[in-house]
Amino acid sequence: MADPIQTSENMPNDDPNLVAQQVAPPYVPAQPLTLRINGTEHQMMIEPRVSLLDALRERLALTGTKKGCDRGQCGACTVLVDGQRINSCLTLAVMHDGREITTVEGLAQDGAPHPVQAAFMEHDGFQCGYCTPGQICSTVALLREIAEGQASSVTRGERPASLDVDEIRERMSGNLCRCGAYQNIVAAIQTAAADVNGN
């Protein structure tokens, strides 16, 4: 098949200004937003493309939530939204207007660590500690899932009979520890489960 005839309409244009106009995304202004984080409301003006992770760390200085892979693969940025764990790098801040967000900074109460935090300290469930905030937030959600009887892909039957090692490994598979402290993390989760849910 012959090449199409080049005309002024389909020939490439080398004018850099014209090319920039053609590829530049449209400007989207910042929008008003209320983020309820750890029980405190934050009124913000934020661009729609800002991730929840960047809003927490760079706009609100809540640096407990870590930026790891920034692709949703490591779980270091895990936070709780209405009690459900999510990777904050994969969601936009504007999607959570008015919702209840909990970061690792919001788990301790009246100066006392959350039972999960205490269990991680007791079992030395961290080495470098970079993944620890995400591991802890994910564990808090895990304990809620178990208390509600939610099954995982390794649950035998419709509801988990107990929080055994296979359940913990499956449910925490989205949180990676590059130091390899998994054995201590599993022990910490078992202790926290016994303290919180009596499992």
Side-chain angles (χ1 to χ4, degrees):
M1 181 176 176
D3 291 337
I5 298 172
Q6 296 286 311
T7 66
S8 60
E9 293 179 353
N10 64 13
M11 288 183 65
N13 191 316
D14 294 332
D15 181 346
N17 293 326
L18 183 57
V19 171
Q21 290 174 7
Q22 292 172 342
V23 298
Y27 171 72
V28 180
Q31 298 179 8
L33 176 68
T34 300
L35 292 180
R36 290 184 49 80
I37 304 171
N38 302 328
T40 301
E41 285 193 359
H42 299 270
Q43 307 285 336
M44 309 172 68
M45 291 293 293
I46 200 163
E47 295 178 46
R49 63 183 176 179
V50 173
S51 71
L52 178 59
L53 173 61
D54 287 341
L56 293 172
R57 289 182 56 83
E58 298 175 12
R59 309 294 174 88
L60 299 171
L62 291 168
T63 55
T65 304
K66 304 304 183 191
K67 180 179 280 193
C69 65
D70 210 21
R71 296 180 179 182
Q73 296 177 342
C74 74
C77 66
T78 303
V79 300
L80 307 176
V81 176
D82 295 336
Q84 304 291 322
R85 52 183 159 170
I86 65 168
N87 292 324
S88 59
C89 71
L90 292 184
T91 188
L92 300 174
V94 294
M95 297 167 64
H96 303 289
D97 190 10
R99 299 178 71 182
E100 192 67 45
I101 299 165
T102 304
T103 68
V104 71
E105 293 97 337
L107 294 176
Q109 297 293 320
D110 300 324
H114 186 281
V116 173
Q117 293 172 311
F120 269 70
M121 288 187 283
E122 177 185 345
H123 290 278
D124 194 18
F126 42 83
Q127 290 184 22
C128 82
Y130 198 82
C131 71
T132 307
Q135 300 269 7
I136 288 174
C137 285
S138 197
T139 301
V140 170
L142 177 158
L143 297 180
R144 175 178 171 176
E145 294 163 8
I146 290 295
E148 294 175 347
Q150 297 182 26
S152 77
S153 62
V154 299
T155 301
R156 297 176 184 86
E158 295 182 359
R159 300 172 60 91
S162 65
L163 185 57
D164 59 23
V165 172
D166 287 343
E167 284 282 356
I168 292 173
R169 287 178 177 165
E170 170 60 21
R171 291 172 188 269
M172 294 296 290
S173 60
N175 292 79
L176 304 182
C177 170
R178 296 183 186 278
C179 301
Y182 293 117
Q183 185 173 351
N184 293 2
I185 291 170
V186 169
I189 293 172
Q190 290 173 321
T191 295
D195 290 345
V196 173
N197 294 338
N199 288 314

